[in-house]
Amino acid sequence: MTASLQLYGVQAPGLALSSRRLEFGTKGLNFSVTLTSSSGIFRTVEHSCRNIALRVSCEAARVDLLERKETEIRNLSGTGKELTCVMKFGGSSVASAERMKEIANLILSFPDERPVIVLSAMGKTTNKLLMAGEKAVTCGVTNVESIEELSFIKELHLRTAHELGVETTVIAKHLEGLHQLLKGIAMMKELTLRTRDYLVSFGECMSTRLFSAYLNKIGHKARQYDAFEIGFITTDDFTNADILEATYPAVSKTLLGDWSKEYAVPVVTGFLGKGWRSCAVTTLGRGGSDLTATTIGKALGLREIQVWKDVDGVLTCDPNIYSGAQAVPYLTFDEAAELAYFGAQVLHPLSMRPARDGDIPVRVKNSYNPSAPGTVITRSRDMSKAVLTSIVLKRNVTMLDIASTRMLGQYGFLAKVFTTFEDLGISVDVVATSEVSISLTLDPAKLWGRELIQRESELDHVVEELEKIAVVKLLQRRSIISLIGNVQKSSLILEKVFQVLRSNGVNVQMISQGASKVNISLIVNDEEAEQCVRALHSAFFETSS
Ligand SMILES: Nc1ncnc2c1ncn2[C@@H]1O[C@H](COP(=O)(O)OP(=O)(O)O)[C@@H](O)[C@H]1O
Ligand SMILES: N[C@@H](CC(=O)OP(=O)(O)O)C(=O)O
């Protein structure tokens, strides 16, 4: 029997990987891999599993991280040609050829910047791809041609190529691949999460190819990268994967390595990664290109991360709820993270993590209005005058009231409640407790990721489990209103909040001030929530007192 061992190519400079022993045993493939550096054997990794490639690369990458900081970055700095920032453009910023041309001009209008460009899929392409996939499940192989969304995507990308004046060959293979994939889905009559991620990856793969080709056409040398080919290594949680540590050295090595050979603007697909076990394409959750951008910023130790949107920055509330929302000039990473986690669509919930770790400022700007100052997000800011910064709404939340059936003074109740959630893999958002009762909300993103039927039976199961130790009330269609601001001034904030809510006849069902010191959360009924946000906005941002 012959076996081959494929080692994933993100080894550290000066480190070599070699396979020592390779045999099939009762547990699968047994082998040992040795990492050697110029100073001798660094580590021997013994394994007995089916897919080791990425695990080994992680070991190597960790070493790489330490070495890279002193070597590669030092080699490039001082040349006056180092990459300076990340510029991420979302779907609305690259929705058409015209928009892409404007973005190219915008990039060129910053001659002192040498950016890494991160792009999302054009316009609403991701949604259209998902819809096409859903239709393919039931339409039959012979009808795939007539899926409206497939025609739309083909037409949009071909027209964009024509209007940009670039060869359609840059996306022809992807359009054909997309067509074949939809036929495959139609044949199998199923769309797994893994296939869903592969399906949506066509959006970013095509937008970056078109844009990079256009930059080259206008004489600005660019090079396209698929994130899953340059070391964006993630968990295998399809549709909601998380970036693994090994990503940083791997991405840095590829991008800085190529840049040092040729100064071509890197144009990287946002949103995508590669599962460390499956080696399949993964996605980072909707809006995940923001996370791609901050990951690159940290990996390369860049000066600034810019995320270009279709609004003037992070606003005082969702402009779809209240059009009078204003741009917030400064935020801390903690405020921005809380705001994103509690539902402000403007930033991906996890995107602040790499920026905070690398202490790299994030600037949120409007690609439709580049002269607007935008929002600058940094580690700290002057909070002396800050009261409320932004109001965020998360709708359709499930709330549980759990009251212990035991007497006061019983210990271990809270532990039992949280063990139940841990066992069921459900994450909790907002919590308020007394000694014998607890109210909490469940993270809708985690539940929304699952099919409706699975979600409902999961909730039934949660209640069933908790009823073994408590009386449980399941309350649905609730909203979390998060008040992001200076919680040192919580009495002032709450005084005003309750005045406003009382005069609007709204009863708050739960309140929580987390340890983060930047967020107070209120739970109200879904149908009252938008009215509350508008009234609070008016009280905090539109009156002088
Ligand atoms: N607090 C907020 N500040 C700014 N935008 C918000 C806020 N809450 C919701 N949004 C919405 O987020 C949108 C921008 O996010 P998104 O569509 O993901 O941008 P992009 O696709 O450009 O990355 C805005 O158009 C706005 O409608
Ligand atoms: N295209 C993906 C990823 C993304 O980040 O998009 P946007 O930057 O347009 O939010 C999505 O729609 O989720």
Side-chain angles (χ1 to χ4, degrees), residues 88 90-92 308-311 313-315 317-320 344-346:
K88 178 257 162 169
S92 63
W308 291 82
K309 306 266 169 185
D310 59 351
V311 278
V314 176
L315 306 179
C317 75
D318 183 343
N320 302 303
Q345 194 208 329
V346 66

